Amino acid sequence: MKTHHIPFITLLAGASLFLFGCGPKESASDNTAAATPATAATAPADDASGVKTVAITGGDNMKFNLTQITAAPGQEIKLTLTNVGTQPKTAMGHNWVLLKKDADVAAFDKASLQAKTTDYIPADKKDEIIAHTKLLGAKESDTITFKAPTEPGDYPYLCSFPAHYQVGMKGILTVR
Ligand SMILES: [Cu+2]
């Protein structure tokens, strides 16, 4: 009998070790973030002061590593965008632009095409912007601090460098 039980128990122990080993992963690895776009927020949790810290990257694949960010109404957000790509800014610049809930993102993106002199931030659409970073070249980063909208809902963000929105360099900030 005993010779029958031991392998079964060993198997159980091995299975539970495996389960613990695959526990929740709270943070994305910097090395894989650019290559594998995440579909859920993997940003760090709020700190003690209630400020939400968000680290977002964009690379030569023309994708953000985060396509979903969640914040509480009115919460302060400290967001850092890093361009992890290698190409020149004129060919592959990235920014992060958060728009109002009802903004027409496609129309905003279209207007951005004509706004090269202002780093693809269209002056006539500024009232649709909640917050935005600078346009970044390879290995540059920019940190901005702003308050999440007080009204719950989904707020679109995008990179307004030409063609990047069309190929999917975008995401949603959900306020709830
Ligand atoms: Cu971009």
Side-chain angles (χ1 to χ4, degrees):
M1 280 304 279
K2 202 159 194 181
T3 49
H4 242 87
H5 276 88
I6 288 165
F8 182 64
I9 287 163
T10 307
L11 193 72
L12 275 180
S16 53
L17 271 176
F18 176 78
L19 286 172
F20 281 115
C22 294
K25 290 190 174 69
E26 294 293 339
S27 60
S29 157
D30 285 342
N31 294 331
T32 58
T36 315
T39 51
T42 50
D46 309 345
D47 68 17
S49 62
V51 178
K52 186 179 188 80
T53 304
V54 178
I56 186 163
T57 64
D60 294 344
N61 61 353
M62 292 176 280
K63 297 282 188 297
F64 288 123
N65 67 323
L66 296 179
T67 55
Q68 175 71 56
I69 301 169
T70 305
Q75 185 174 24
E76 194 167 336
I77 299 174
K78 185 181 177 185
L79 180 141
T80 300
L81 172 68
T82 301
N83 180 343
V84 295
T86 58
Q87 297 194 44
K89 185 174 172 178
T90 49
M92 186 61 74
H94 299 301
N95 61 11
W96 184 89
V97 184
L98 177 66
L99 300 181
K100 290 181 178 172
K101 197 163 53 161
D102 301 323
D104 183 337
V105 191
F108 182 93
D109 183 61
K110 200 174 170 189
S112 300
L113 281 173
Q114 311 300 322
K116 189 180 180 184
T117 55
T118 52
D119 283 347
Y120 304 107
I121 299 296
D124 60 337
K125 297 266 186 194
K126 274 199 163 164
D127 61 339
E128 294 182 9
I129 300 174
I130 295 171
H132 72 88
T133 68
K134 290 187 288 198
L135 186 70
L136 304 175
K139 309 308 175 199
E140 294 178 339
S141 65
D142 185 31
T143 299
I144 57 171
T145 302
F146 63 98
K147 279 190 175 2
T150 52
E151 191 184 339
D154 289 339
Y155 296 76
Y157 61 80
L158 73 154
C159 170
S160 67
F161 192 90
H164 289 193
Y165 167 73
Q166 287 100 314
V167 298
M169 199 161 184
K170 60 183 177 176
I172 296 288
L173 169 72
T174 299
V175 174
R176 65 169 177 241

